Amino acid sequence: MWGEPDVRTLLAQPALGEVRLVAGAAGAGHAVHGSVVARSQEDLERPATGQLVVTTLAALAGAGAGWDGPVARLDAAGAAAVLVRLGPGEPLPEQLLGAAERHELPLLLAPAGASSSEVNAAVLDVLLEAQRAEVKGALDVRQRFADVLLGGGGTAEVLGVLHALVHRPVAFIDIEGRPTVAVPAIATDAGAVATEDGLRWPVGPAEEPEGEVVAWAGAAGTVGSPEAPQHEREVPRSVVLLALEQAATAIGVRRAQARAVAAAQERFAALSLEELVSGHAAQRAEVVERASSFGWDLHRPRAVLLASVDPRPEGDTPQGAVAVVAAAARATLGRDAIVWTRGQTVAALVAPLTDEPAERRRIALGLQHELDERLRRATVSIGVGRRADGPTGLPSSFAEASRAVDVGRWAKGRHVTEVFDELGLERLLAACPTSELAAFVQAAIGALVDHDRQRDGALVETLAAWLQARNMAEAARRVHVHYNTLKNRLERIEAIVGPVLSDPAKALECEVAIHVAGNYDGPWRSDGGEGTAP
């Protein structure tokens, strides 16, 4: 016997074999926490909840109000039962029996000749034995779950031990209310388990719950139902709760171990990939050698993709943003992609089928679209390098992807998607310090900008139209002026900056300067805005 004993359990113990239940059998399930000898009316007024009160007819009669009064007071005080010792030839009053039946307070009769002290000592011996058995049983329960963990068992094995202990169907329910593992493997839907009565114990800390372990009464005819054998139905509630607690702890420990192992493997994989793209030949050879253990195929052509969380003005990164980016990358880049995290950036080795930059842009835009759906509190910029035929080319692809992110941010700001071999002129411009670009713009077209600002003119606009069209009639139409007006403006332009129309080098210089001044932020802006090059 272990678990909290009740009146019925006490009466089944050999030490109390001659004690009989004579009335109030409906209350035989009352839990018994202790016993007390009540020799007087004052003693009867002070019973604690769950105590078995050992007394005499004389003490009960002295309480007044007939037999119903003291029985009612004991029941209201939460007494577990009353054990009466009769004197020689003393009859048991029928009114007392009726009062015990009405209040469903078990009335026990001590054997003839037994003293109150002897009866109380016997009861205490049984309770102490129950407590000893409870301690032993609790240790046994803990040991059984510890053995499962030490043996490498998982959630199913833990639930198997729990089912054997509580004789009820049990299951682990995830935070969405879905039963992920059940023992026995009964057919039940998430809605039924979520609403069905049962005892439950949470798994994981309250601030980050992972689910719960539940033990409930099965359908008719199954273990734990009213039709189950008597010894299987009557596992005490305290035993079920202890087993649930230990099962929840064991499942929580196993899940924490699994997360730790996964995190360690992920860190090792990330370190290996960093070595792969670092360009060190020795580490690269080792990574290629152990790639198969990670399930990587490094022999097919791959390109590096970097998805970097854009810095926010306040300087921080929203909590969990990088994890969202990593999850989105794994979901959208395909099973062949190799994904890892590096600071505020998620890197991936994607496997485009061709060398065409359009295919890599399609892959990157697919990820960007998924991130726009998943990530609302931050933006992400994506860069993709060229496809490498083997591991030796991955360092170059990685550098290109990083450069694509930097150039894209320099040219367009945040939330950009760039493929390195589509960057064009920006690839060169971004490599120049802002001060050098500003000096170049000033030398090439600064005099024209000053002329337009002082005279509210349009020489820069006119030169830009001609450089785009390389035809005076077409340029005149673009700026909505007469042909002769355009010709006169071009003459003034050449007088200020030199022979643009006849000198291809001068024309290219002015065209690049106008492109920089018109498309990128920097000191050349009339509003004085500043820009930086990566």
Side-chain angles (χ1 to χ4, degrees):
M1 176 188 66
W2 74 285
E4 186 176 67
D6 56 22
V7 174
R8 183 182 296 108
T9 305
L10 283 180
L11 292 175
Q13 303 309 306
L16 298 177
E18 296 185 32
V19 175
R20 294 185 295 120
L21 176 64
V22 295
H30 292 173
V32 181
H33 304 314
S35 67
V36 62
V37 176
R39 293 186 173 88
S40 65
Q41 178 183 350
E42 290 77 14
D43 294 337
L44 287 171
E45 293 177 351
R46 298 191 298 271
T49 300
Q51 282 193 327
L52 188 151
V53 180
V54 181
T55 189
T56 63
L57 285 180
L60 285 173
W67 296 108
D68 194 85
V71 171
R73 287 194 293 273
L74 288 170
D75 180 56
V82 178
L83 194 157
V84 176
R85 183 180 60 83
L86 298 177
E90 191 175 25
L92 192 62
E94 290 294 332
Q95 296 88 342
L96 178 57
L97 295 173
E101 287 291 341
R102 284 191 299 276
H103 292 284
E104 297 183 355
L105 181 66
L107 181 62
L108 312 180
L109 185 61
S115 68
S116 297
S117 297
E118 289 173 340
V119 173
N120 188 52
V123 172
L124 289 176
D125 285 344
V126 171
L127 292 175
L128 288 173
E129 175 59 26
Q131 292 175 359
R132 186 195 67 80
E134 183 172 3
V135 172
K136 181 177 181 299
L139 291 174
D140 177 65
V141 168
R142 290 181 171 86
Q143 187 60 50
R144 292 180 69 173
F145 286 111
D147 290 343
V148 172
L149 290 179
L150 292 174
T155 299
E157 288 75 18
V158 170
L159 292 180
V161 170
L162 177 62
H163 173 62
L165 287 169
V166 303
H167 305 300
R168 302 184 184 193
V170 296
F172 172 68
I173 312 299
D174 66 17
I175 57 175
E176 302 295 333
R178 296 184 297 262
T180 59
V181 183
V183 178
I186 55 177
T188 183
D189 59 74
V193 173
T195 58
E196 192 166 1
D197 291 336
L199 297 177
R200 299 166 182 267
W201 202 279
V203 176
E207 60 274 14
E208 295 182 7
E210 299 182 49
E212 59 184 358
V213 180
V214 59
W216 69 95
T222 66
V223 174
S225 75
E227 288 79 3
Q230 180 79 8
H231 72 281
E232 292 186 345
R233 283 191 281 124
E234 296 184 351
V235 178
R237 178 185 177 89
S238 61
V239 175
V240 177
L241 289 176
L242 173 63
L244 278 172
E245 178 190 12
Q246 294 301 308
T249 300
I251 291 174
V253 168
R254 175 59 70 227
R255 292 171 67 87
Q257 289 174 338
R259 287 195 300 272
V261 170
Q265 290 177 336
E266 186 172 343
R267 286 193 297 270
F268 182 58
L271 178 61
S272 299
L273 290 165
E274 289 295 316
E275 293 174 350
L276 182 66
V277 300
S278 68
H280 298 296
Q283 289 93 334
R284 185 168 62 245
E286 293 176 5
V287 173
V288 173
E289 186 176 339
R290 62 174 109 98
S292 59
S293 65
F294 292 114
W296 300 338
D297 180 5
L298 296 180
H299 297 290
R300 62 183 303 178
R302 291 185 178 274
V304 176
L305 178 148
L306 297 178
S308 178
V309 179
D310 292 321
R312 300 200 300 181
E314 49 268 41
D316 64 336
T317 299
Q319 185 175 7
V322 176
V324 173
V325 176
R330 292 186 175 97
T332 60
L333 297 180
R335 296 177 58 185
D336 293 330
I338 302 169
V339 179
W340 76 100
T341 300
R342 49 190 328 271
Q344 302 305 309
T345 299
V346 171
L349 300 182
V350 296
L353 298 178
T354 69
D355 286 329
E356 294 299 319
E359 183 184 1
R360 280 170 281 138
R361 174 167 290 278
R362 178 185 56 78
I363 293 172
L365 289 175
L367 174 58
Q368 190 67 271
H369 176 74
E370 182 70 15
L371 289 172
D372 291 343
E373 294 293 325
R374 295 193 185 200
L375 195 60
R376 304 290 185 180
R377 297 170 298 140
T379 60
V380 176
S381 292
I382 300 175
V384 190
R386 282 185 279 229
R387 191 177 79 150
D389 291 331
T392 57
L394 289 176
S396 296
S397 183
F398 174 80
E400 292 165 355
S402 180
R403 187 66 180 158
V405 172
D406 291 341
V407 171
R409 284 173 172 166
W410 177 84
K412 303 172 185 176
R414 303 155 57 89
H415 195 245
V416 299
T417 301
E418 298 291 350
V419 177
F420 180 77
D421 33 339
E422 290 182 340
L423 287 176
L425 181 62
E426 279 80 9
R427 198 189 316 175
L428 300 177
L429 296 178
C432 297
T434 302
S435 59
E436 289 297 324
L437 282 177
F440 171 77
V441 171
Q442 178 63 30
I445 61 171
L448 292 180
V449 173
D450 292 340
H451 179 280
D452 286 345
R453 185 180 299 118
Q454 294 168 4
R455 296 173 173 78
D456 194 23
L459 296 186
V460 174
E461 178 188 10
T462 302
L463 178 57
W466 182 83
L467 289 170
Q468 291 174 359
R470 299 299 171 113
N471 179 280
M472 288 192 181
E474 176 61 24
R477 283 192 293 270
R478 292 188 181 187
V479 295
H480 309 291
V481 297
H482 190 273
Y483 179 91
N484 290 333
T485 301
L486 180 86
K487 184 177 179 182
N488 292 333
R489 287 184 182 179
L490 289 176
E491 289 175 354
R492 286 200 299 275
I493 289 170
E494 288 198 308
I496 295 172
V497 299
V500 178
L501 278 63
S502 59
D503 187 345
K506 187 65 176 179
L508 177 61
E509 180 180 304
C510 290
E511 188 170 12
V512 171
I514 291 173
H515 176 80
V516 171
N519 290 281
Y520 310 119
D521 291 334
W524 46 83
R525 290 281 192 179
S526 60
D527 57 9
E530 292 185 1
T532 58

